[in-house]
Amino acid sequence: MGEVRRQSRPHRPRSVADALLVDRLSAQLSNWQTSRGLADYAVTDLGGGTGTLAMSLAEAGHRVTVVDPSLDALASLQRRTAERGLADRLQGIQGDAGNLVELLGEASTDVMICHRTLEVVDDVATALSAMATAVRSGGVLSVVVPQRRAAVISQALQGHIGAALEAIDDPSRFDLDQVCSMITEAGFRIAEIEGIGVLSHHVPAAMIESETGLAEQLYQLESRLSRDPAFRAVAAWAHIFASR
Ligand SMILES: C[S@@+](CC[C@H](N)C(=O)[O-])C[C@H]1O[C@@H](n2cnc3c(N)ncnc32)[C@H](O)[C@@H]1O
């Protein structure tokens, strides 16, 4: 995928889709923080893995806890955290959606992040309910899930018609309406919905890298399409930002 450098201190180039997601989330959190008049806030990244997003939030000065069942991911997170001098603001805890509240406590965090993880939990509704319990009133939730329709399109465009047929009923992917309903039923109010990776996932990385400026143009295109209901419904990822 093409690379876009948008933050002032990037540690490694990110894909166009990841760059857009981080930029959007940063803006949403900044607006929310201003509206709440908070000097600082606590973030929990459920399924945060090796902590790429967690580290950028810690570098922005926030207190971040990554909860993840993978000891390997947590070891990598710990090493990277130490290398960047973030140990006082970023911690990793072994756990999962099932024991989130037990680990952190009720109303223990201001911002809950759950990116690309709802598709691997045992029970999505129970996981969202645990997140709602862990988030303080007035706090926010950021969810990223893979979309079923995008998988159908992607498989078909690669000529994998059988896989496209199977993807129509893939239970590990989501439809936007379905995931939004579940988030609402858990007790959150949806503030913003956007599609991440509407077209960038269909454009070969080599093509983007072959011409200077194409990655930036693709970023602009993704940015324009991300909130159009028709385009966002077929994006690789749905990003939902909600309040508690
Ligand atoms: C695809 S990775 C996503 C990592 C990161 N959030 C991102 O967006 O790049 C999924 C993560 O979920 C974690 N995971 C697996 N089962 C989980 C569960 N039941 N509860 C919470 N996290 C889980 C995995 O260890 C892994 O780090």
Side-chain angles (χ1 to χ4, degrees):
M1 201 55 59
E3 296 168 349
V4 172
R5 292 173 183 269
R6 298 193 76 81
Q7 286 186 326
S8 52
R9 285 193 303 131
H11 292 289
R12 67 184 168 92
R14 291 173 292 151
S15 71
V16 167
D18 279 348
L20 181 61
L21 173 61
V22 172
D23 288 351
R24 286 284 169 78
L25 180 58
S26 300
Q28 288 160 339
L29 289 176
S30 173
N31 290 340
W32 163 78
Q33 182 180 12
T34 303
S35 71
R36 300 280 303 167
L38 299 174
D40 185 21
Y41 53 81
V43 182
T44 300
D45 190 350
L46 177 63
T50 57
T52 301
L53 178 59
M55 274 185 282
S56 68
L57 291 167
E59 279 168 344
H62 308 300
R63 289 164 284 124
V64 188
T65 300
V66 170
V67 177
D68 198 288
S70 165
L71 282 177
D72 285 348
L74 291 173
S76 172
L77 169 72
Q78 190 178 17
R79 180 178 43 76
R80 297 170 80 199
T81 300
E83 281 169 6
R84 295 188 195 173
L86 296 170
D88 60 330
R89 267 169 286 155
L90 177 46
Q91 63 166 340
I93 299 178
Q94 191 185 21
D96 58 30
N99 64 357
L100 182 70
V101 177
E102 194 182 311
L103 283 173
L104 303 183
E106 293 183 15
S108 53
T109 193
D110 302 299
V111 176
M112 180 65 69
I113 291 172
C114 185
H115 289 184
R116 304 176 175 112
T117 297
L118 270 187
E119 61 271 30
V120 296
V121 304
D122 292 336
D123 183 328
V124 175
T126 304
L128 284 168
S129 171
M131 287 186 246
T133 304
V135 174
R136 293 186 187 109
S137 176
V140 286
L141 169 74
S142 175
V143 166
V144 171
V145 289
Q147 298 210 93
R148 198 189 319 267
R149 293 183 180 100
V152 176
I153 294 170
S154 176
Q155 293 290 0
L157 288 179
Q158 294 173 71
H160 306 144
I161 307 305
L165 272 168
E166 284 173 18
I168 295 173
D169 301 312
D170 182 350
S172 70
R173 291 173 183 273
F174 295 80
D175 295 326
L176 195 49
D177 292 350
Q178 169 204 16
V179 72
C180 286
S181 295
M182 295 179 99
I183 289 170
T184 304
E185 279 161 23
F188 293 98
R189 285 181 302 280
I190 294 182
E192 282 187 76
I193 304 169
E194 49 203 1
I196 300 293
V198 173
L199 293 174
S200 60
H201 282 63
H202 305 302
V203 183
M207 191 182 287
I208 297 304
E209 284 154 14
S210 68
E211 198 178 312
T212 307
L214 270 190
E216 181 60 34
Q217 276 189 329
L218 186 56
Y219 179 96
Q220 297 299 335
L221 181 64
E222 286 286 334
S223 185
R224 289 284 301 276
L225 301 181
S226 64
R227 288 173 179 145
D228 178 310
F231 280 110
R232 76 183 178 200
V234 294
W237 304 93
H239 176 220
I240 298 117
F241 189 74
S243 60
R244 180 79 177 97

